[in-house]
Amino acid sequence: MESEKDQEVEVRLGCITSLKVWLNSELVFQRDEYHHGQNANQHIARCKLKKGVNDLVIKVCQNNQKDSWAQNWQFQARFTDFAGYRAGVKQAPLPKVPAKVTAMASKEIEQ
């Protein structure tokens, strides 16, 4: 994500399963629940964006259930101000994944 300025924001999430969210390599949100429905603004985490490009990593998890209804992998995320209005951010070009993030993701997948 690219922020037009340093700013405190909320990342508002919806996910039917478990998820973790990192912003600039810092874990800002995690929820370990499965199959509980999905709504906009279901989860809200406050965080700080720096001016310029910010690395956002979202891990969506699934448990071991094999039923077809349990294979629903979806999420939604948006950045807002504290009142819920759109924050001044836009999608940045996808960079090469930093080695630190790759190592973090590999370690997280093993757990």
Side-chain angles (χ1 to χ4, degrees):
M1 302 304 300
E2 189 170 348
S3 177
E4 56 193 28
K5 61 184 177 182
D6 289 342
Q7 58 183 319
E8 292 189 25
V9 296
E10 292 180 342
V11 57
R12 294 177 177 232
L13 306 146
C15 187
I16 198 166
T17 61
S18 178
L19 77 158
K20 288 186 177 183
V21 179
W22 291 267
L23 183 64
N24 298 322
S25 300
E26 178 185 341
L27 181 66
V28 295
F29 184 82
Q30 67 180 9
R31 183 64 47 126
D32 193 22
E33 295 177 354
Y34 294 90
H35 315 300
H36 53 73
Q38 176 178 323
N39 299 301
N41 304 329
Q42 183 176 14
H43 309 297
I44 299 174
R46 289 192 171 192
C47 52
K48 292 181 182 180
L49 293 174
K50 62 184 181 184
K51 181 178 180 177
V53 175
N54 293 266
D55 294 321
L56 175 67
V57 176
I58 299 175
K59 177 183 178 184
V60 178
C61 307
Q62 186 58 277
N63 60 15
N64 294 325
Q65 287 187 301
K66 303 296 183 198
D67 301 304
S68 61
W69 62 266
Q71 304 309 308
N72 195 0
W73 295 71
Q74 46 182 276
F75 75 93
Q76 54 188 329
R78 65 189 183 112
F79 285 99
T80 70
D81 63 15
F82 297 145
Y85 295 102
R86 183 183 181 282
V89 298
K90 63 181 180 179
Q91 183 176 340
L94 293 175
K96 181 180 176 190
V97 177
K100 182 177 180 180
V101 172
T102 302
M104 179 179 62
S106 296
K107 181 179 178 185
E108 187 68 25
I109 290 168
E110 292 171 4
Q111 295 180 355

